[in-house]
Amino acid sequence: MQPNDPGAEREAPRDPGTDRVVIFDTTLRDGEQSPGASMNIGQKLQVAHALRDLGVDVIEAGFAAASPGDLEAIRAVARQVEGPIIASLARCHPGDIAANWEALKDAPRRRCHVFLATSPIHREFKLKMARDEILRRSSDGVALAREKFDDVEFSAEDAVRTELDFLAEIVERAIEAGATTINVPDTVGYALPSTYARTLQYLRQNVRGIDRIVLSVHCHDDLGLAVANSLTGVLEGARQVECTINGIGERAGNASLEEVVMAMKTRRDVFGVSCGVKTERLYPTSRLVSQVTGLHVQRNKAIVGQNAFAHEAGIHQHGMLTHRETYEIMRPEEVGFISTSLVLGKHSGRHALKERLAALGYLLDESQVEAVFADFKALADKKKDIYDADIEALMVHGQILGVSPKAWEIVSLSTTSGTGTLPCASVSLRSADGKEHQAVSAGDGPVDAVFKAFDRVTGFHARLRDYQLSSITVGEDAQGEVSLEVEHATGLHRGRALSTDIIEGSARAYLDVINRIALMGPRTALDAQSRDEMGAP
Ligand code: KIV
Ligand code: ZN
């Protein structure tokens, strides 16, 4: 129990009639818009299952009209993930709304999320539409969505930079047309808590029918204020918060789900609200999303960073030993933080592996456990101690979440390098039709030579933007993880691989990128048309 904050009384929440906050997770839609964070269908399903287990209320699974790949992934989530409402984004266009219906019609609980930009800058430069047209299109879009869906959310994109009287008019029309949730996005992360509060107050005081709908907040982190603004929204009566795991998303990202949820829980004395998130699943879900997207969580990140519960200074350690709450406002167990990472070895069985996988956020069926177990045994033959990081790596690079089927596989690889010799690589790759293809190449070093040889075989062209090598665990037999980022005609892409041999690890990471791009096919081609063209946020 923490002592009450003496300032809490001044921040008493406005009364919207309920103390339950809807957690709307958009990791699979806005989160996936982080450069290089795209996921394949299998990965999206894995994350969606984890979000269901976490207890979120709404999963925004994608933007159905953006590409056939997006539509397929949303449909798979809609069919297979039961419990939360499954949502898909749409412009106020008949085609987008029809695509949402196609993607969501099999979901037991579904939501159509329509949006239209409302600010002067978007009206003039992006949409080239006058106010009247925006009013008409948004209410027509909502009305059309309501013909198929009972649950329709309307978002006024860039609401924060919209004239208040016009925003109120748009919102009122959307409610009249049948919107059940109204979202007030800070699309470019421009708001301050005080200005965001004023916008929400204005809407609550000036929009007829606002008490009938759920008011929602959606904040971006360009000024580092996404969580603060979202929490301000809750104090101002918003009862839905849109957020992502680890705060991933466009540019600086979205409000981080784990921070919003733990702030509401830890400072219930101020907020007086609750939500359905099982907080002990926060850390495992964060790890899963980080592994799947390749986006590392910074060590000092609140709630889920490696250092979030570490106490280094002697004076803090002393205080902790005497009375934990001297320096700790949350218990690590509350967020599912795993403090020990030494786990299994060659004699561990399926059951121990399955339990450890679940603790790490991977809830697998028996056949999937069998597949990971086979990879686990192979690794245990090479390595004495298997740590959590090794298990996560097996998941991401192994048979379950790795890109599969593969467009290209390594048959053999050898390199020569040293002082006074030209670094060279000789590679043989197998294509999906089973044929083997060979190439040799020189390079600036053995890794560069391998990449060039792969380019020759596959016809792949990209610019390497980042290359990182790190040891994922401790000890002499530790595996090295190579993660790299390339710039390709279809956008930024990341690849990762593990090996005890750094040249092989680099080769596998590069091939991981080549495979991801090869298997994305039409989706990346569509993504390459700028999202602006679609008017997407
Ligand atoms: O940032 C934004 O405005 C959005 C909306 C579509 C909700 O992502
Ligand atoms: Zn957004």
Side-chain angles (χ1 to χ4, degrees):
M1 190 45 199
Q2 299 295 330
N4 278 354
D5 177 346
E9 270 169 55
R10 274 180 279 122
E11 298 192 59
R14 319 291 172 264
D15 178 18
T18 169
D19 71 356
R20 178 71 158 71
V21 172
V22 171
I23 298 296
F24 176 115
D25 180 279
T26 182
T27 305
L28 297 177
R29 199 276 298 168
D30 227 352
E32 207 213 8
Q33 285 174 218
S34 309
S38 55
M39 299 171 233
N40 63 35
I41 292 194
Q43 291 169 327
K44 283 195 169 188
L45 273 169
Q46 182 84 27
V47 171
H49 279 116
L51 292 170
R52 182 212 46 212
D53 296 333
L54 178 66
V56 307
D57 301 285
V58 185
I59 296 176
E60 186 165 51
F63 184 174
S67 72
D70 249 43
L71 194 148
E72 265 324 302
I74 300 164
R75 194 182 350 236
V77 172
R79 286 181 177 163
Q80 295 178 42
V81 181
E82 246 183 88
I85 296 169
I86 310 299
S88 168
L89 187 67
R91 293 169 298 177
C92 288
H93 283 189
D96 284 27
I97 294 166
N100 267 8
W101 178 248
E102 274 314 302
L104 294 172
K105 63 183 179 208
D106 296 333
R109 302 175 71 208
R110 48 182 174 251
R111 174 177 297 182
C112 184
H113 178 189
V114 291
F115 77 97
L116 186 60
T118 53
S119 64
I121 191 162
H122 279 240
R123 293 195 310 258
E124 186 179 347
F125 296 104
K126 183 174 90 172
L127 300 171
K128 302 188 180 26
M129 284 180 203
R131 280 182 175 211
D132 276 1
E133 195 169 354
I134 301 279
L135 277 171
R136 187 181 54 74
R137 286 202 186 213
S138 54
S139 78
D140 286 357
V142 171
L144 186 63
R146 272 308 298 259
E147 287 178 14
K148 294 269 188 206
F149 294 86
D150 294 334
D151 184 344
V152 173
E153 171 169 339
F154 174 72
S155 282
E157 190 190 1
D158 205 15
V160 153
R161 292 191 297 170
T162 303
E163 307 88 328
L164 283 176
D165 56 346
F166 181 56
L167 183 63
E169 203 178 343
I170 285 258
V171 166
E172 195 165 298
R173 291 274 201 101
I175 295 174
E176 278 165 14
T180 45
T181 297
I182 293 288
N183 188 33
V184 186
D186 181 12
T187 305
V188 291
Y190 182 70
L192 303 178
S194 56
T195 58
Y196 199 47
R198 277 202 290 281
T199 301
L200 297 170
Q201 282 160 13
Y202 186 90
L203 293 178
R204 292 197 67 202
Q205 283 158 12
N206 292 284
V207 172
R208 249 174 308 163
I210 196 115
D211 296 333
R212 294 203 307 271
I213 55 90
V214 176
L215 190 59
S216 167
V217 289
H218 176 114
C219 300
H220 281 268
D221 208 30
D222 300 66
L223 293 174
L225 293 169
V227 170
N229 287 336
S230 303
L231 293 171
T232 299
V234 173
L235 288 171
E236 292 303 332
R239 285 298 175 263
Q240 173 173 287
V241 178
E242 302 197 355
C243 42
T244 61
I245 300 292
N246 300 334
I248 66 170
E250 280 283 341
R251 308 179 310 278
N254 289 57
S256 136
L257 182 149
E258 57 278 5
E259 292 176 26
V260 169
V261 166
M262 287 314 289
M264 292 192 309
K265 182 175 181 196
T266 309
R267 299 310 311 267
R268 205 178 144 90
D269 60 318
V270 174
F271 293 100
V273 294
S274 61
C275 70
V277 167
K278 299 179 191 75
T279 60
E280 64 287 358
R281 301 287 318 156
L282 286 171
Y283 185 71
T285 315
S286 156
R287 297 293 312 143
L288 173 71
V289 169
S290 165
Q291 287 294 323
V292 165
T293 56
L295 294 170
H296 290 280
V297 173
Q298 80 200 48
R299 287 189 85 84
N300 61 332
K301 159 105 176 49
I303 318 294
V304 292
Q306 277 303 307
N307 293 354
F309 295 94
H311 296 270
E312 190 70 24
I315 188 166
H316 286 205
Q317 288 170 355
H318 175 73
M320 287 281 295
L321 290 174
T322 330
H323 185 67
R324 289 185 76 131
E325 286 168 16
T326 329
Y327 283 102
E328 197 171 78
I329 59 164
M330 296 164 278
R331 293 277 170 114
E333 309 82 83
E334 263 183 279
V335 303
F337 189 84
I338 302 160
S339 50
T340 163
S341 71
L342 176 59
V343 274
L344 307 173
K346 128 183 198 173
H347 300 296
S348 310
R350 285 174 184 72
H351 188 67
L353 176 67
K354 189 175 172 184
E355 275 197 351
R356 205 61 209 159
L357 283 163
L360 293 168
Y362 299 101
L363 303 163
L364 307 182
D365 62 31
E366 292 310 318
S367 70
Q368 290 172 316
V369 171
E370 265 323 295
V372 189
F373 192 64
D375 290 346
F376 169 79
K377 281 285 171 196
L379 183 64
D381 280 342
K382 289 195 229 151
K383 219 174 162 291
K384 192 164 140 286
D385 295 325
I386 310 280
Y387 295 83
D388 287 345
D390 290 314
I391 295 178
E392 286 181 332
L394 284 182
M395 281 302 303
V396 173
H397 303 291
Q399 304 175 44
I400 305 291
L401 290 181
V403 181
S404 152
K406 299 201 173 2
W408 297 95
E409 270 178 295
I410 296 177
V411 179
S412 65
L413 165 76
S414 65
T415 56
T416 51
S417 67
T419 44
T421 55
L422 182 65
C424 274
S426 159
V427 305
S428 174
L429 297 182
R430 187 178 299 112
S431 50
D433 58 10
K435 291 201 183 112
E436 289 184 17
H437 311 255
Q438 284 79 29
V440 283
S441 177
D444 289 335
V447 170
D448 184 47
V450 171
F451 291 179
K452 290 200 165 106
F454 281 3
D455 288 352
R456 282 201 180 153
V457 173
T458 61
F460 180 72
H461 294 290
R463 199 164 67 84
L464 187 64
R465 293 231 325 193
D466 192 26
Y467 172 97
Q468 286 182 32
L469 171 65
S470 53
S471 160
I472 64 160
T473 54
V474 291
E476 283 172 5
D477 60 357
Q479 300 196 86
E481 180 184 63
V482 178
S483 54
L484 42 85
E485 190 175 275
V486 304
E487 196 176 325
H488 181 257
T490 55
L492 279 184
H493 299 271
R494 290 204 176 80
R496 271 179 164 192
L498 280 185
S499 175
T500 42
D501 174 326
I502 59 174
I503 295 178
E504 188 194 323
S506 307
R508 292 195 183 283
Y510 196 65
L511 204 62
D512 183 33
V513 181
I514 295 178
N515 277 328
R516 277 172 190 262
I517 295 173
L519 292 169
M520 266 176 184
R523 172 176 184 190
T524 24
L526 252 171
D527 282 352
Q529 293 172 10
S530 92
R531 278 194 168 253
D532 266 3
E533 230 173 82
M534 289 202 60

